[in-house]
Amino acid sequence: MSGMGGAGGGWTGAVRRRVVRALPPEKLLPDTQPAYMASWIYVFGVLTVAALIVVLLTGGVLALKGPAWWHVSGAGKYVNGLHLWSVELFMFFMVIHLWGKFFMAAWRGRRALTWVTGAVCFFTSIGAAFTGYLVQQNFDSQWIAGQAKDGLNSVGIGAFFNVLDFGQMLMWHIVLLPLVLGLLAIWHILLVRWRGIVPPIDAATIDPADATTREAAR
Amino acid sequence: MSRRPRKTAVPDPAAFPTRSYDLVKEFTIALVVVVLLTVGLAAVFSSPDVKPVTLASWSRADGADFTATAVSELGGTSGTAGYGPPYNHTPGAAQKLGPVGLQSAAGVRIPVDTTNDFVLRPLRDAPEPPAVTAALATWAAAPAARQQAWTRAYSDALAKAGRGAPAKGDYGPVPVLASRLLGLARSGALDGELQAEGRFYQTDYTRPLLFLSDGSYLESLARAEHLGGDQWGMMNETGNFPGQAWLWLYTFWYQIDPFKSSGNADALIWGLMALLSLCLMLAPFIPGVRSVPRWTRVHRLIWRTYYRDQAMERDRRVSGR
Amino acid sequence: MTALPYFYPGARLFAAPIDLNGAGRYVHWGVVQLSVANLVIIGLMLVVFMAALLLPFPRGRGRR
């Protein structure tokens, strides 16, 4: 059996060719960038990714010892502090990244899906943080659950997503939402690498063929 | 010249001059910076952990509030008893988003019968002194109207008495039942009874949390910490810790009319936030919104080096022609 | 309202030098009620955003 275009390898070969064509290694991990990528605003994407990794790792340490550990151990309390502050940093960097990308209109040039996946990452992160507050097992959790149930019940979500059910919220917080957020973040980053860094608004490139300046992105 | 600029695609980044840029080094530095910041912030500030309220701590700290709440649960007049879906069928209690009643449509999926779940069953599950057995029998034998008259009269008397003893009246078995429940709560037994419900393992705190939320004790503690819904509480945290500041817009709507005085505030604000979230997500497709970056000209600042180089290039071409 | 008492192992070792427990400080401005902690964070975000826009980015070696 041969794949499309005469090349072999069946489905596997077809998928490999497609992946390599879309994201050849030098595009996935380039060692150069367009010269216009010269602003500190560009570092907030990678800072957000770094913070997400710290959030996942510190959450992982909390998971190792179980949900009650941090209430009864100084080391646990410190790891909980790491988890909280990495989340604060994650949201901090993500919002600045969002502001930056908005003012760059970074969705131009077939990059709308990159923007959309980024926005969904933001909403998923809010959900992940929210469920984190619910599973602290302290006064905060009790009050937030009691308040949030009204909002969620008022639109029918509370009937299925019960914020008063600690077990359900813990599973969402440590399994479902991190998984979805992780996958979305990977998709988002691959889209950035695939499409490349968005050129400046109204950027003109020097066309080497006729050496005329071409206006674009009007 | 009236020729409109061609609506061309944004140029390929590969068509621009490049410079070396080490992504892996950048990521490593970012990770180190975030780790150091996190380690430092956690060491200096730690994290908040205010003790949870238990039915025991509530009933000991504010027995009058606990008793008043228990009587309202028994008589079916508490917030939970009249909540509507997903806890029970209460006509007209569900919120609506305009003509759409999503709360009703979702149905009663977490049934809660406050009379039995919060009061009668816990009393029966605990060892019963003879007076309580007799009071439970009297309650069970009375018609619903009679039961409600007793609880209403006792609720009124409790409210009038404040923290003192209520005036004498016809309250049937209600004072005995309420007093026994208070005793069970103070001993800590009620916390276990409401949670376990005959099982051993338990991870669902719906019932004890609803009971707690029906009283005014939990709310008074929350308000003291600026956590009330009308105090922008959603974005606040206990003590001086930062909270979920990213919820600023969601909590903002609760502070202003028409939402703050609406019985449908939760549904309306949820609907509004869903719409606004969709707008953020689909900003690239919304005329006007997608042009804001061009109008604000913040991009001239971000790409100032590029634009300056472009201008110099243009000048050179013009003078060279 | 009190935080959990420090009786568990390692509590003293990991105790935070700056205690953010206790009565929260809030600023009121018309309908706006904001905790000082959130205000600091939001203010820092704006400052960092502006700094990112304004500070010169080191120019790398050109290629092409």
Side-chain angles (χ1 to χ4, degrees):
Chain A
M1 287 267 278
S2 69
M4 283 168 65
W11 292 10
T12 309
V15 168
R16 183 187 59 233
R17 280 188 296 281
R18 210 176 151 181
V19 168
V20 171
R21 204 181 323 125
L23 278 173
E26 62 276 12
K27 205 169 173 185
L28 191 64
L29 273 180
D31 52 13
T32 64
Q33 290 294 336
Y36 56 75
M37 185 180 161
S39 167
W40 284 107
I41 199 68
Y42 284 107
V43 305
F44 288 89
V46 72
L47 281 170
T48 309
V49 174
L52 176 61
I53 289 169
V54 178
V55 170
L56 291 172
L57 289 177
T58 53
V61 177
L62 288 174
L64 275 178
K65 297 288 283 182
W69 174 53
W70 73 277
H71 298 286
V72 293
S73 145
K77 183 90 188 284
Y78 180 66
V79 176
N80 184 68
L82 294 175
H83 196 53
L84 169 75
W85 286 101
S86 58
V87 168
E88 288 287 345
L89 289 168
F90 172 64
M91 297 304 276
F92 188 101
F93 295 139
M94 183 162 44
V95 171
I96 294 179
H97 175 64
L98 188 152
W99 291 345
K101 294 301 146 185
F102 177 79
F103 286 114
M104 291 172 172
W107 51 74
R108 290 168 298 120
R110 304 175 72 200
R111 290 172 179 81
L113 190 59
T114 317
W115 173 271
V116 172
T117 50
V120 178
C121 276
F122 178 55
F123 301 135
T124 310
S125 306
I126 291 176
F130 167 66
T131 50
Y133 279 91
L134 289 176
V135 299
Q136 293 177 93
Q137 316 138 71
N138 55 20
F139 172 75
D140 224 19
S141 307
Q142 292 181 306
W143 178 251
I144 292 171
Q147 293 290 290
K149 78 175 192 305
D150 295 336
L152 292 160
N153 288 338
S154 74
V155 286
I157 298 171
F160 308 93
F161 181 84
N162 182 9
V163 293
L164 308 177
D165 184 338
F166 169 76
Q168 189 188 10
M169 291 306 107
L170 185 66
M171 290 304 175
W172 275 80
H173 183 66
I174 69 173
V175 180
L176 301 175
L177 289 168
L179 182 70
V180 170
L181 181 58
L183 292 176
L184 278 169
I186 291 169
W187 187 14
H188 180 73
I189 294 164
L190 288 179
L191 281 171
V192 174
R193 297 277 28 107
W194 183 35
R195 294 291 186 202
I197 304 301
V198 70
I201 293 176
D202 296 333
T205 56
I206 312 297
D207 191 335
D210 58 6
T212 53
T213 303
R214 210 174 46 163
E215 284 283 313
R218 185 65 64 179
Chain B
M1 297 282 269
S2 64
R3 196 160 57 118
R4 279 177 61 133
R6 211 155 38 105
K7 194 179 169 166
T8 49
V10 175
D12 184 349
F16 291 84
T18 58
R19 48 182 271 173
S20 57
Y21 202 104
D22 197 338
L23 288 176
V24 173
K25 188 175 166 192
E26 184 192 37
F27 170 76
T28 309
I29 294 171
L31 193 60
V32 169
V33 167
V34 173
V35 166
L36 290 178
L37 278 173
T38 306
V39 165
L41 286 165
V44 175
F45 297 118
S46 189
S47 57
D49 193 14
V50 173
K51 265 186 174 181
V53 175
T54 60
L55 297 174
S57 69
W58 170 26
S59 56
R60 285 175 205 152
D62 193 349
D65 181 50
F66 176 88
T67 303
T69 308
V71 173
S72 71
E73 305 291 12
L74 179 65
T77 54
S78 69
T80 299
Y83 194 92
Y87 309 126
N88 41 52
H89 298 278
T90 306
Q95 293 194 31
K96 281 181 154 185
L97 191 53
V100 187
L102 292 171
Q103 186 171 355
S104 303
V108 178
R109 288 178 184 273
I110 310 166
V112 177
D113 166 6
T114 62
T115 309
N116 281 300
D117 293 346
F118 293 173
V119 185
L120 297 181
R121 196 185 46 72
L123 287 176
R124 283 197 211 100
D125 285 354
E128 285 174 26
V132 174
T133 307
L136 283 168
T138 311
W139 176 268
R146 190 79 202 276
Q147 293 172 340
Q148 279 180 9
W150 283 334
T151 52
R152 200 179 314 121
Y154 196 51
S155 283
D156 291 347
L158 286 172
K160 214 171 285 175
R163 283 170 189 279
K168 285 202 187 311
D170 179 15
Y171 312 128
V174 175
V176 175
L177 299 177
S179 150
R180 173 63 178 162
L181 199 72
L182 178 66
L184 286 176
R186 283 182 166 160
S187 73
L190 191 59
D191 282 293
E193 287 185 351
L194 275 188
Q195 276 160 38
E197 293 178 339
R199 282 167 300 190
F200 184 78
Y201 290 105
Q202 166 64 299
T203 59
D204 182 359
Y205 291 78
T206 304
R207 286 182 174 79
L209 273 174
L210 286 174
F211 196 165
L212 267 179
S213 303
D214 283 334
S216 59
Y217 179 67
L218 190 74
E219 185 173 8
S220 68
L221 296 180
R223 294 197 69 81
E225 293 275 2
H226 294 81
L227 300 180
D230 57 355
Q231 297 173 301
W232 296 68
M234 229 181 264
M235 62 189 286
N236 294 339
E237 178 55 272
T238 51
N240 277 301
F241 288 92
Q244 303 182 73
W246 45 90
L247 294 181
W248 67 274
L249 187 59
Y250 189 13
T251 193
F252 163 72
W253 301 116
Y254 282 95
Q255 321 305 320
I256 58 163
D257 277 318
F259 306 106
K260 73 173 180 187
S261 52
S262 168
N264 286 313
D266 293 309
L268 291 174
I269 293 173
W270 235 96
L272 180 63
M273 286 307 287
L275 185 72
L276 291 174
S277 301
L278 208 62
C279 286
L280 177 69
M281 208 173 97
L282 300 178
F285 307 104
I286 302 171
V289 175
R290 65 179 174 196
S291 303
V292 171
R294 184 181 295 276
W295 300 333
T296 49
R297 301 180 71 76
V298 174
H299 65 276
R300 304 292 305 186
L301 206 54
I302 294 171
W303 290 305
R304 59 186 177 277
T305 317
Y306 170 82
Y307 291 124
R308 197 171 51 226
D309 292 351
Q310 280 297 106
M312 275 158 61
E313 177 84 358
R314 228 176 0 250
D315 291 348
R316 220 186 47 221
R317 276 159 192 275
V318 170
S319 58
R321 205 168 270 177
Chain C
M1 300 287 283
T2 52
L4 286 170
Y6 291 115
F7 59 82
Y8 45 75
R12 213 174 288 275
L13 179 65
F14 289 98
I18 297 180
D19 187 5
L20 292 183
N21 292 296
R25 276 171 299 161
Y26 281 76
V27 289
H28 298 252
W29 188 54
V31 75
V32 180
Q33 249 189 86
L34 203 55
S35 74
V36 171
N38 278 343
L39 188 66
V40 167
I41 293 230
I42 293 167
L44 268 177
M45 283 172 73
L46 290 169
V47 168
V48 170
F49 179 64
M50 290 309 293
L53 296 186
L54 296 173
L55 290 181
F57 191 75
R59 297 196 89 158
R61 283 167 293 129
R63 237 198 242 189
R64 158 114 184 188

